[in-house]
Amino acid sequence: MEGRPTRGVSRDEAREVTIMALLITLALRIGAGVLQAVDELIGPTETRELLVRLFAQIGSTVGILTLSSVLIVVLSPRGSVSTATADLVRRVAATVTVLGLLGALHTLTLPFTPLLGRIWLSMINGLAAATLAGAGWWILRNFDEQR
């Protein structure tokens, strides 16, 4: 196309865009749980399942999105991902780890589900998210750029 300058995306820009897309998707997943919790609060319901709704979105998908962001940061050449982005990813990983652990704890205390069912639910949801995000947080916390 003549007369129209083409501007491609650099590898560094692609990394930053990818990390932001993963974090935005992560925020959308967690935000969906928050919206469900708000709906539970304002809706005409006999039983309040506020925390069930809130933690329902914290599962392996959230953990995978978090760990993917971490891996892009650590597997990128030094300087190709901004320090602010790397810090944001570390904070998000810590937050998702805590949310996953809280979700697992909440699931384990549900009174209306048999024990094995509660263990199963906590394993595939909260504990999966906490494991993946916790691994990401640990990697970023202990990452040595010199090695």
Side-chain angles (χ1 to χ4, degrees):
M1 304 207 169
E2 292 180 35
R4 186 174 141 192
T6 58
R7 184 183 182 290
V9 175
S10 72
R11 291 180 195 277
D12 292 350
E13 292 168 329
R15 286 182 192 100
E16 294 274 346
V17 169
T18 301
I19 291 168
M20 287 301 124
L22 289 167
L23 293 179
I24 289 168
T25 303
L26 182 63
L28 290 170
R29 292 288 298 205
I30 293 171
V34 170
L35 285 178
Q36 286 181 328
V38 168
D39 184 48
E40 187 71 23
L41 278 175
I42 62 175
T45 180
E46 301 269 328
T47 60
R48 298 275 182 207
E49 296 180 358
L50 178 69
L51 292 177
V52 171
R53 300 278 187 160
L54 181 65
F55 291 125
Q57 300 301 320
I58 309 299
S60 58
T61 300
V62 167
I64 291 168
L65 290 167
T66 305
L67 187 57
S68 297
S69 300
V70 168
L71 291 177
I72 292 171
V73 170
V74 299
L75 296 177
S76 298
R78 186 183 329 173
S80 64
V81 174
S82 71
T83 304
T85 300
D87 289 342
L88 175 62
V89 170
R90 184 177 35 78
R91 284 189 213 106
V92 167
T95 301
V96 171
T97 301
V98 170
L99 287 173
L101 291 172
L102 290 173
L105 180 63
H106 180 262
T107 301
L108 289 171
T109 62
L110 292 174
F112 54 85
T113 307
L115 178 61
L116 287 179
R118 291 184 304 218
I119 293 171
W120 174 77
L121 280 173
S122 68
M123 289 170 70
I124 65 169
N125 290 325
L127 290 176
T131 300
L132 292 165
W137 174 81
W138 185 87
I139 288 168
L140 282 174
R141 182 174 174 266
N142 295 296
F143 185 62
D144 180 2
E145 290 188 27
Q146 306 304 317
R147 292 184 63 188

